[in-house]
Amino acid sequence: MFLGHIAVGLAAKKAAPKASLLWLVGAPTLLDLLWPVFLAVGLEEVRIAPGITAVTPLDFLKYPISHSLLLAAVWGLLAAGFYFAARNDRTGAAVVGALVVSHWILDWASHRPDMPFTPWSRTKVGLGLWNSVPATLAVEGTLFAVGLFLYALATKARDATGRWSFAAFAVLLVVLYLGNVFGPPPPSVAALNAVAFAGFLIPVWAGWFDRHREARAAAA
Ligand SMILES: [Zn+2]
């Protein structure tokens, strides 16, 4: 899942108005930001196998550190701790922690049964939404639309950057997503790994336009 993770981060703004989208979008995408790191150092493994699911050609052979439920909870606690240390915002910290774990739940819905509960568990789970392109587009499209709507409802632009950078973010992510679903598979694991590192730009961009928006008054 890709847009779905970003969607839950956008939707969380209402619950954690003091938290920047840098955190609120970074948290639900954190496991996918850690993944290329562990891939690069050889602790995790992926294979490109076109046709393995309808949506993604990636066969996640091993990703115990970034994508086991147990470590997702640990990463969630760490992220919540860092956020609390930086911002002293208890509600925001709880939301950040929950968002990190939400990644595992959404991935569990979309992946083949390749998601481990613990780094050493042999049982792997996954509901396989990715076996259907229409179902994936419907679920992720709906999640993303709802996320954008809730964020737009919770905040308003303070200036042109707050309006247009947000709009461009939404459009560009949809374009990237469709390119990802309908485009050719990555040419190599090395290329995939390099592109995955660029994923950190998404929360950075979200944090940028979020600084140019402010909470709407409750009555408005
Ligand atoms: Zn993931």
Side-chain angles (χ1 to χ4, degrees):
M1 194 159 279
F2 173 63
L3 290 182
H5 298 306
I6 297 160
V8 289
L10 292 168
K13 184 68 179 183
K14 177 94 187 163
K18 281 192 238 162
S20 160
L21 278 195
L22 173 72
W23 288 91
L24 296 178
V25 170
T29 51
L30 179 65
L31 305 189
D32 283 354
L33 299 178
L34 293 169
W35 177 64
V37 178
F38 295 121
L39 212 51
V41 297
L43 288 172
E44 305 205 333
E45 271 175 62
V46 69
R47 187 173 71 100
I48 296 163
I52 193 156
T53 74
V55 172
T56 180
L58 305 185
D59 181 6
F60 300 96
L61 296 169
K62 202 170 88 172
Y63 50 1
I65 311 171
S66 67
H67 278 74
S68 65
L69 178 58
L70 181 67
L71 288 208
V74 172
W75 295 121
L77 283 171
L78 284 173
F82 273 112
Y83 175 80
F84 187 73
R87 296 284 183 270
N88 198 23
D89 164 19
R90 205 173 284 269
T91 310
V95 169
V96 163
L99 285 172
V100 172
V101 179
S102 81
H103 184 102
W104 195 90
I105 297 165
L106 289 185
D107 271 9
W108 165 68
S110 31
H111 285 221
R112 297 166 58 239
D114 59 24
M115 308 268 310
F117 288 114
T118 67
W120 51 87
S121 68
R122 257 184 277 155
T123 311
K124 295 187 177 167
V125 294
L127 296 181
L129 177 65
W130 276 344
N131 291 320
S132 164
V133 171
T136 301
L137 292 180
V139 171
E140 286 211 71
T142 304
L143 282 174
F144 195 53
V146 171
L148 289 171
F149 177 71
L150 291 178
Y151 176 73
L153 215 59
T155 64
K156 61 173 190 262
R158 211 182 290 156
D159 55 25
T161 306
R163 181 170 300 115
W164 296 112
S165 173
F166 171 47
F169 175 84
V171 171
L172 187 85
L173 284 180
V174 169
V175 170
L176 281 175
Y177 179 68
L178 294 176
N180 203 25
V181 173
F182 295 105
S188 66
V189 169
L192 166 69
N193 201 345
V195 171
F197 272 116
F200 84 92
L201 291 171
I202 294 172
V204 169
W205 187 354
W208 171 47
F209 68 71
D210 192 51
R211 259 191 291 129
H212 293 265
R213 300 177 64 89
E214 63 197 10
R216 273 184 211 274

